[in-house]
Structure formats: structure tokens, C-alpha cells
Amino acid sequence: MAAALLLLFVGAALLTYSFMQLLAPDEEWVEVQAGSTGGPNVGSEFSFLYRPGSGELSYSADLKAVTALYTQLCRDAYLLFHNEEAAEGVCNLYEINRHPNEILEIDDGFYEAFAAVERTGSRAIYLGPVYDRYESVFFCEDDSQLADFDPRLSPEVAQEYREVARFANDSNSIQVELLGEGRIRLAVSEEYLAYAQREEIDDFIDFAWMRNAFIADFLARGLEAGGYTCGALSSYDGFIRNLDGSGQSYSLNLYDLRDETVYGAAVMNYQGPMSIVSLRDYPASGLDQYRFYRLGNGEMRTPYLDPADGLCRNALHHLTGYAGDRGCGEVLLALLPVYIADQFRPEELARLARTGINSVYCQDRVIWHTDPALELDRLYELDGVRYTEALLES
């Protein structure tokens, strides 16, 4: 195979393994590193596997050119999608949040992220004030510090989150309006503005834990525009964009979580450009220390907040969705109502399959999937019982 996209490796007690690491078994493939001299960028959260010299340029010239472009894209993505500070000459998320009801002009790739949100009808990004507060959960050093941020432990915090969710789910209260030609307007009602002023809220919208799905699309869009398509992008938190249309075979390891231990289940093979989203309710790498928190009683706090009330939920341990004609952001937002739920509804995955978004997941040692053409290889055994596959028919 030209490249292998690895998700996890089994951990005996704690889940201390690398997630979404790209390996290049062929010497022609290299991992392109984003330079750091231009300032902070998102390169440390992504792997970009590329085959230099596949076009008209020589190996060295191609590698130099793609590295320069990838470095710039990683820097641009950091400035646009992060919500911490203003950036000179850049209309980013920070600027949008602090200029409600004003028409602003933004980068085309950034505009496309909001267009993906609009196409799905998702309200997830409008939980900005909740994300801003809830993310402190992952920086707590012990359970005694959780009460100020965790709605499952504090009725007062739960009520505050519900109040924000009421605004977030009302398009008359808040809505990103796409005006064409890179122009947008964050429309916020007078009632919500007054509430935000009382509560000292600055961040109305935020991509939060979803950020890397949209950044993967942003990076892929820029690389494709530059003609660098013989490669694949992956983030540590489960978002993959394969750009390679050459017909080379790729594989994705599928895993199953049982009794807090991760086991290999099978290998999913695929070809061609693809957007893959993997959602999981457990940490898998060092970077995950800021995405998950395990309480003393074993309960896990995850970043997957329900737009309905701001509570974290997940209906499965692990769910992977993919599509060949849509970006990671759009695939992710389509999966959210299925994954962020109290009960798993497989019929909803069957419905998504009819729209072109297929899914695969493990349950009771069965690998269920919605794609009749899916190729599964190397079905593993657990305690002497081999995993089997089953088609979830639509």
C-alpha cells in the first residue's frame, strides 16, 4: 500500500498510544513538516504524508515548494480558526465575534467552513459561550475543581448552559449570514446582545473541538489549489483528508473499546479522495489531555456537547464516517446528531448512507457498516472469537 493511516495501538491499562499517525512504508513518501519560523501554526496537530516528484518538478524542488505552501496554510489556519486574539490584517473568528451585526470580508477557505455549517443546518458552532467555559474541565487537576464548569455536577452551571443553548438554537437570536463573495454577517438579536453584556460573553460562535475537521478541509483546499494532491492529511483527533486520486490503496485500522482497553478489530481499505471522521469517547495521545477528563468514579467527560442543552453525550464508544464528495466538516456535522445522543439509532446512519455519507462502527464484536462496497481486511480475534462484519442496510 502507498500509505497506512493508523488510528490506535492497544494499551494494557491506560490508553497511551498514538492516534491517527501516518506511516510511509514506501521510501518515496515523506512526512512534510510545517516550519515554525513564521509564528504559531497548526502543524503540530496534523500529519501530512506526501510523495514528492510525482509531478513536473524534481523531487527536491517539489518537496521545497509543498513545504513552503503547507507551512503558510498551517499558519493561516491558526490565525483564522483560533478564537484567542486578533491578527493584524486578518478577519478571523476573534474579529467576527467582536463585531456582531457588521458585514465583514473573510478568506475564501474560511468562508467555505461557514458554508458547510449552513448546508448541514447544524447549530453546534453557536454554543460558543458554553465551549469557552466548559473547556476548563479539561484543565482541572482533580474532581473538586469541576463544579464551576461541569453541568452534570452543578445545577447552576447546567441552567447557565441551557440559557445559552436557548439562544444558540434560535436562528432569530443568532445566525451567520453568508452574503456571497467572502462577505458574512454575524446577526445577533438585541436580547442576546443584552444577555451577553450582562454575562460578559465575547465568544458567540466557536468551532471548538470541531476545529480540526474544518482546518483539514482548509488545508486540503489550499494544497489542491496548488496542485499538491499526491498526499494525505490527518489530525491527532480523528480527521483525515486523502487527496490522492492516483488509484493507490490506503487503509484505516478499525478498533474496538472493551473494558477500557482498545483492541484491533479490522482494516478498512479504500482508494481515491476521501474525507474520514472518527469520533471516540476516550483519550488516545498526549494531546488528548486537553480533550478528555476521567473522574475518580470512572466517568469520562468528553468535548462532545449537545447543542440542545450543553451536556456532553455520546451514543457509541467509536464511530467513523466517510464520504468522497464532501469535506470533513460536513461529514462531522452530519454525524453529530447520531453520535451526540443518549441512545444510538442505527437507522439514522442508514439514512445518512442514502445521502452519500457512509459509516462503520463496532458493537458486540460485529463491525457494522453502511457501504456495500466497503472492503474489510484482517478481521482480528478477541478472546478466541473473530470479529465479523455486517451490512447495515438502508
Side-chain angles (χ1 to χ4, degrees):
M1 294 181 180
L5 300 175
L6 296 182
L7 286 177
L8 308 170
F9 193 75
V10 177
L14 298 177
L15 303 178
T16 55
Y17 39 74
S18 173
F19 192 77
M20 291 295 184
Q21 182 180 4
L22 285 168
L23 299 180
D26 192 322
E27 291 182 357
E28 294 180 351
W29 292 81
V30 299
E31 185 174 357
V32 177
Q33 302 283 347
S36 59
T37 56
N41 62 60
V42 300
S44 63
E45 300 183 20
F46 282 84
S47 291
F48 176 35
L49 195 66
Y50 182 72
R51 189 173 64 188
S54 55
E56 297 179 357
L57 296 178
S58 67
Y59 180 99
S60 58
D62 195 22
L63 180 57
K64 181 178 180 180
V66 73
T67 299
L69 176 59
Y70 181 61
T71 297
Q72 184 60 55
L73 290 170
C74 286
R75 173 61 176 163
D76 292 344
Y78 179 88
L79 295 177
L80 289 169
F81 285 90
H82 284 73
N83 201 24
E84 287 78 20
E85 59 185 358
E88 185 176 356
V90 178
C91 185
N92 60 7
L93 201 57
Y94 181 93
E95 289 294 322
I96 295 171
N97 274 312
R98 281 149 186 82
H99 293 87
N101 299 315
E102 297 182 23
I103 296 176
L104 303 172
E105 188 169 345
I106 62 174
D107 174 273
D108 288 344
F110 196 31
Y111 186 92
E112 178 54 32
F114 290 107
V117 173
E118 184 177 81
R119 285 193 296 270
T120 62
S122 173
R123 304 298 297 179
I125 69 167
Y126 297 103
L127 276 184
V130 174
Y131 295 132
D132 184 51
R133 182 168 178 179
Y134 177 78
E135 286 176 354
S136 296
V137 164
F138 308 124
F139 293 87
C140 290
E141 297 181 358
D142 58 67
D143 293 2
S144 66
Q145 300 175 341
L146 292 175
D148 288 337
F149 319 108
D150 189 346
R152 293 192 180 277
L153 298 180
S154 169
E156 292 78 13
V157 172
Q159 177 60 31
E160 292 174 16
Y161 286 9
R162 284 194 297 269
E163 289 177 359
V164 172
R166 178 175 66 86
F167 289 111
N169 287 284
D170 179 10
S171 59
N172 292 319
S173 294
I174 183 168
Q175 183 69 37
V176 173
E177 299 174 348
L178 303 181
L179 307 177
E181 299 180 348
R183 295 175 302 119
I184 71 168
R185 176 176 177 266
L186 177 60
V188 183
S189 70
E190 291 298 325
E191 181 187 2
Y192 194 7
L193 286 174
Y195 174 84
Q197 184 174 13
R198 291 196 305 270
E199 300 298 325
E200 299 181 345
I201 289 173
D202 294 317
D203 299 328
F204 293 98
I205 59 174
D206 197 349
F207 290 96
W209 67 269
M210 303 169 286
R211 181 183 297 120
N212 280 345
F214 294 92
I215 289 179
D217 294 336
F218 178 86
L219 298 176
R221 178 188 176 98
L223 290 167
E224 288 171 340
Y228 301 104
T229 58
C230 194
L233 288 155
S234 73
S235 70
Y236 80 96
D237 47 355
F239 306 114
I240 298 173
R241 280 294 302 265
N242 185 8
L243 312 178
D244 188 4
S246 68
Q248 294 280 3
S249 294
Y250 287 77
S251 65
L252 179 69
N253 282 6
L254 302 176
Y255 287 82
D256 189 17
L257 179 69
R258 299 179 66 86
D259 300 324
E260 299 186 7
T261 301
V262 178
Y263 298 92
V267 175
M268 165 184 157
N269 299 320
Y270 66 96
Q271 294 179 334
M274 192 75 67
S275 296
I276 303 176
V277 170
S278 289
L279 302 172
R280 53 187 167 84
D281 69 345
Y282 48 87
S285 73
L287 290 174
D288 276 336
Q289 64 180 313
Y290 302 121
R291 289 189 356 109
F292 297 93
Y293 181 93
R294 186 184 297 277
L295 281 74
N297 62 7
E299 292 181 10
M300 187 72 75
R301 294 296 184 260
T302 74
Y304 311 121
L305 300 188
D306 192 335
D309 55 15
L311 292 176
C312 68
R313 293 186 171 91
N314 55 278
L316 291 169
H317 289 305
H318 204 135
L319 174 64
T320 296
Y322 58 96
D325 60 351
R326 271 163 275 196
C328 284
E330 198 162 342
V331 173
L332 169 63
L333 295 179
L335 289 176
L336 290 192
V338 183
Y339 189 76
I340 302 180
D342 288 323
Q343 293 184 332
F344 174 52
R345 303 187 305 277
E347 66 274 12
E348 288 301 302
L349 293 183
R351 179 188 61 79
L352 285 179
R354 294 194 291 270
T355 72
I357 298 176
N358 281 294
S359 305
V360 57
Y361 63 95
C362 292
Q363 197 170 54
D364 297 326
R365 303 188 194 184
V366 177
I367 303 168
W368 290 91
H369 60 90
T370 61
D371 184 359
L374 179 65
E375 296 181 9
L376 289 178
D377 193 10
R378 285 180 281 165
L379 275 71
Y380 297 110
E381 290 186 0
L382 175 60
D383 297 331
V385 179
R386 184 177 296 277
Y387 281 87
T388 60
E389 66 170 297
L391 178 66
L392 183 64
E393 297 183 4
S394 58

